[in-house]
Amino acid sequence: MQTITRVAELRSNLAKSRGADRRVGLVPTMGYLHDGHMALIAASQAQCDVTVVSIFVNPTQFGPNEDLSSYPRDFLRDEELCRDGGVAILFAPDTQEVYRSHFETFVEPGDLAKPLCGVFRPGHFRGVATVVCKLFNMVQPDVVFFGQKDFQQCAVVRRMVIDLNLPIEMVTVPTVRERDGLAMSSRNRYLSKEERQRALAINRGLSAALDEFRSGERNVEKLIAVARGHLEAVDRLQYLELVDGDTLKTADSPLRRPAALCAAAYVGSTRLIDNVLLGCQLGSAMRG
């Protein structure tokens, strides 16, 4: 595995792979890798000849009171995990390499960035779309891999790929969970033992609603109420919404289209997100 920090070196190295007609996969991350990231890497390994993992804690997607400075980092551990996972290139640029002096050009996402997390994290998806577009331009992958846990992020990036005619296939990999059901996240390390137990209420609520859906329930209000009944253990429920799987607009009753039940909640000072899909798999692979 090569660890590369400069765009010019990255492009030079990948030009050799493209010259040999090798299929390049990209797994964009902010580091502090866990089994969810490793599932993305494994998916790339299965579908591509060359897997690139990027590690970059992107400052433009953090708000002024969010955890940019304390976001968990362990680069040596990440490097070892990538090497063990068969990654060909670990791309780890610093902030100056990504955002040169006087940087002022951003990708402005549309309506998909407005609901759910967009209400509470203004500017977040502008930062996400911008850095992801830059990584796509730096790596020029054939395929990119994202996790379903970040459902709205996937929708925003997928729309960008289509709208900007990017020649990239986007694959969404199902959420990987801990044995107790908690969705894997780099932020889980913030939880105390007691908080972690209470955090399990999120998955319990979503799973209960999914069970009702599988039993035939199609009323949006009833499905939300089933999930909400399990979420009293969290300290603050930021949102719990059932949205159309394509538009992210509030789903209509009775449900006739693929939808997603999405939640964001604080347990202690840690903000956690999760979701379940109601209906067929949404956007598992798409090319611009």
Side-chain angles (χ1 to χ4, degrees):
M1 186 183 76
Q2 291 182 276
T3 298
I4 295 175
T5 61
R6 301 296 182 186
V7 175
E9 182 184 355
L10 175 73
R11 287 175 171 164
S12 175
N13 189 286
L14 287 173
K16 301 171 186 175
S17 295
R18 292 194 186 87
D21 200 27
R22 304 182 75 193
R23 186 170 165 89
V24 176
L26 169 65
V27 178
T29 84
M30 292 206 300
Y32 209 76
L33 304 183
H34 51 66
D35 284 350
H37 296 112
M38 300 314 293
L40 302 180
I41 291 171
S44 178
Q45 289 287 86
Q47 299 182 40
C48 302
D49 303 303
V50 177
T51 293
V52 180
V53 171
S54 64
I55 292 180
F56 179 66
V57 181
N58 176 38
T60 66
Q61 69 189 67
F62 286 81
N65 297 315
E66 294 182 343
D67 58 342
L68 174 60
S69 61
S70 62
Y71 192 83
R73 296 164 170 86
D74 191 341
F75 184 75
L76 292 179
R77 173 179 169 275
D78 291 343
E79 197 171 33
E80 182 178 353
L81 286 171
C82 286
R83 186 177 294 108
D84 292 345
V87 171
I89 296 175
L90 175 57
F91 179 51
D94 61 18
T95 302
Q96 183 61 33
E97 185 72 7
V98 177
Y99 297 109
R100 299 296 178 91
S101 299
H102 310 297
F103 181 88
E104 60 181 30
T105 303
F106 289 84
V107 176
E108 195 68 52
D111 289 345
L112 290 173
K114 294 178 180 178
L116 304 175
C117 290
V119 174
F120 302 94
R121 303 186 71 187
H124 170 70
F125 289 112
R126 179 180 188 246
V128 168
T130 299
V131 77
V132 169
C133 189
K134 287 177 70 65
L135 288 169
F136 288 177
N137 285 328
M138 293 170 181
V139 178
Q140 298 178 11
D142 298 291
V143 195
V144 294
F145 298 85
F146 288 84
Q148 179 198 313
K149 183 181 76 71
D150 298 298
F151 181 78
Q152 187 173 14
Q153 174 179 277
C154 290
V156 168
V157 173
R158 189 179 302 115
R159 186 76 255 167
M160 179 183 73
V161 167
I162 294 169
D163 289 350
L164 300 185
N165 301 106
L166 302 178
I168 295 170
E169 179 184 348
M170 180 173 168
V171 174
T172 304
V173 176
T175 301
V176 177
R177 299 183 179 277
E178 306 280 1
R179 289 184 178 181
D180 56 14
L182 185 67
M184 287 194 171
S185 168
S186 299
R187 290 187 169 96
N188 288 350
R189 71 183 295 272
Y190 297 154
L191 298 168
S192 69
K193 185 176 181 180
E194 182 271 335
E195 287 170 345
R196 183 186 172 88
Q197 286 301 308
R198 291 193 290 115
L200 300 180
I202 301 171
N203 181 50
R204 281 200 297 267
L206 297 179
S207 296
L210 178 59
D211 288 342
E212 289 294 314
F213 175 82
R214 288 171 172 167
S215 297
E217 182 61 70
R218 294 295 183 269
N219 181 276
V220 170
E221 291 75 16
K222 290 182 179 179
L223 290 167
I224 291 175
V226 168
R228 191 180 298 275
H230 291 264
L231 289 167
E232 294 180 357
V234 305
D235 292 302
R236 177 158 60 98
L237 180 61
Q238 198 170 63
Y239 65 74
L240 175 66
E241 297 187 36
L242 186 50
V243 298
D244 182 275
D246 292 322
T247 67
L248 304 193
K249 294 180 179 179
T250 301
D252 295 323
S253 289
L255 282 177
R256 293 191 177 93
R257 289 176 41 78
L261 181 58
C262 304
Y266 279 90
V267 181
S269 60
T270 304
R271 183 179 185 271
L272 302 171
I273 61 171
D274 202 350
N275 63 81
V276 291
L277 304 185
L278 307 184
C280 63
Q281 187 73 18
L282 302 170
S284 59
M286 186 171 292
R287 178 178 288 273

